[in-house]
Amino acid sequence: MSATEEPLNGVDLAAVAGLVDRIRTEPAAASTVWSAEVTWTGAFRSEAQVRGFGPLRSDEPVGLGGTDTAPNPVEQVLAALGNCLAVGYAANASVEGITIHDLRIKLEGNLDLRTFLGLAEANAGYEAIAVDVSIASDASEDQLARLHRRVVASSPVGHTLSRPVAVRIDLTSTAN
Amino acid sequence: MSATEEPLNGVDLAAVAGLVDRIRTEPAAASTVWSAEVTWTGAFRSEAQVRGFGPLRSDEPVGLGGTDTAPNPVEQVLAALGNCLAVGYAANASVEGITIHDLRIKLEGNLDLRTFLGLAEANAGYEAIAVDVSIASDASEDQLARLHRRVVASSPVGHTLSRPVAVRIDLTSTAN
């Protein structure tokens, strides 16, 4: 790649390689901490702040008691999974020398509302999530199948959802 | 509540009660399907579309090879969890007659980058997520402790993360 050439898929592989090198010599660099802070803004509306970015607004549909001004939290989970898979495809395709022309990811999740509504004491979350990936590229079917396996095997949000995470929720501060 | 009075915490409990009544007579109404569609927009950037709302933009920090224009997918997961807990507090507090004056939720997650970077074949996702909830309300400590237990026991995103979800990811359409 020359200095003026656009990198494959626009991906800065040198930055990723630099991180890989750093982790090889300093394994602790692989341990990362991510954070967000949510502020309730009334009714079922809230805003999540991540670093210095604009707030991620949340609401619920009217049928669920909300005012329907933004995607709801379970939709946000699907969005996060799709966004994560997009990074995985872009990263792994670039490593493999595959040019991606188009990449679209459709996600659907099934959720039983009874536990959330207090009608049951069971799983309040997604029972299943189905993802359909549609890609246009210069790769062969075999290359794409291998790419797909790599992406699925290394997706941070995919693993977060498919494996149990130790979630600790504490009420740390109260005031009247 | 009179017609002109603001409902407790702004929450439309009548809509929630209507849904509960409907599910009691028509259990299938509890089965919901949520969806999102993600479009890759180059490098590690993508946009998630949920219903008719503006896109949820995603990117990665520069150190991870991105262009740092938006929260990344694992940060979006924390945002979704915090937004979900905010709904849970608002809903359950309103049912209990508790007025919430202020509600803030701080979230942190620990993630080992090695699997995502191809340096290991292990858990690419969050190992642990810690959430600190800070609430100002007119409730007693006992009421708040009970409220907290109810929220944690019925959080759709909380359960989605703490339990394994059947995630199926298919490469359904390819073109060269």
Side-chain angles (χ1 to χ4, degrees):
Chain A
M1 183 180 92
S2 77
T4 55
E5 202 178 331
E6 174 75 0
L8 189 58
N9 302 314
V11 171
D12 184 2
L13 277 184
V16 179
L19 179 59
V20 166
D21 285 346
R22 187 174 156 222
I23 289 171
R24 281 195 171 118
T25 57
E26 186 194 339
S31 297
T32 56
V33 179
W34 304 90
S35 60
E37 182 165 358
V38 165
T39 304
W40 174 68
T41 56
F44 288 167
R45 293 182 300 276
S46 59
E47 295 183 352
Q49 188 68 43
V50 172
R51 292 181 276 144
F53 297 111
L56 301 172
R57 292 194 175 82
S58 185
D59 198 351
E60 293 287 350
V62 171
L64 276 172
T67 53
D68 205 25
T69 58
N72 82 352
V74 297
E75 291 171 320
Q76 294 161 34
V77 167
L78 298 180
L81 174 57
N83 286 328
C84 186
L85 293 170
V87 175
Y89 271 95
N92 286 282
S94 301
V95 169
E96 296 287 310
I98 297 169
T99 299
I100 301 174
H101 302 304
D102 192 66
L103 173 60
R104 284 159 208 274
I105 301 167
K106 290 186 181 179
L107 307 105
E108 268 194 6
N110 297 84
L111 192 143
D112 188 313
L113 290 175
R114 279 175 295 184
T115 296
F116 173 66
L117 293 171
L119 297 170
E121 291 186 9
N123 182 15
Y126 278 124
E127 294 142 34
I129 295 173
V131 185
D132 285 347
V133 180
S134 172
I135 192 166
S137 74
D138 66 359
S140 68
E141 292 285 327
D142 280 359
Q143 282 178 303
L144 285 179
R146 190 171 62 231
L147 171 62
H148 182 69
R149 283 195 301 274
R150 287 196 182 176
V151 172
V152 170
S154 65
S155 168
V157 178
H159 283 198
T160 294
L161 296 174
S162 62
R163 296 168 182 230
V165 178
V167 180
R168 201 202 70 216
I169 305 172
D170 293 325
L171 187 60
T172 54
S173 154
T174 62
N176 294 99
Chain B
M1 182 179 95
S2 75
T4 55
E5 203 179 329
E6 173 75 0
L8 189 60
N9 301 316
V11 171
D12 184 1
L13 277 185
V16 180
L19 178 59
V20 166
D21 284 347
R22 189 176 154 218
I23 289 171
R24 282 195 170 118
T25 57
E26 186 195 338
S31 297
T32 57
V33 179
W34 305 90
S35 60
E37 182 166 357
V38 165
T39 304
W40 174 68
T41 57
F44 287 167
R45 292 182 300 277
S46 59
E47 296 183 351
Q49 189 68 42
V50 172
R51 292 182 275 146
F53 297 111
L56 301 172
R57 292 194 176 82
S58 184
D59 198 350
E60 293 286 352
V62 171
L64 275 171
T67 53
D68 205 25
T69 59
N72 83 351
V74 296
E75 292 171 320
Q76 293 161 36
V77 167
L78 298 181
L81 175 57
N83 285 329
C84 186
L85 293 171
V87 175
Y89 271 95
N92 286 283
S94 301
V95 168
E96 296 287 311
I98 297 168
T99 299
I100 301 174
H101 302 305
D102 192 66
L103 173 62
R104 283 159 207 273
I105 300 167
K106 290 186 181 178
L107 307 104
E108 269 194 5
N110 297 85
L111 192 144
D112 187 314
L113 289 174
R114 279 175 295 184
T115 297
F116 173 67
L117 293 172
L119 297 171
E121 292 187 8
N123 182 16
Y126 278 124
E127 295 142 34
I129 295 173
V131 184
D132 285 346
V133 179
S134 172
I135 192 167
S137 75
D138 65 359
S140 68
E141 292 284 329
D142 279 359
Q143 282 178 304
L144 284 178
R146 191 171 63 232
L147 171 62
H148 181 69
R149 283 197 302 273
R150 287 195 182 178
V151 172
V152 170
S154 66
S155 166
V157 178
H159 283 197
T160 294
L161 296 174
S162 62
R163 297 168 182 230
V165 179
V167 179
R168 201 201 70 218
I169 305 172
D170 294 325
L171 186 62
T172 55
S173 155
T174 64
N176 293 102

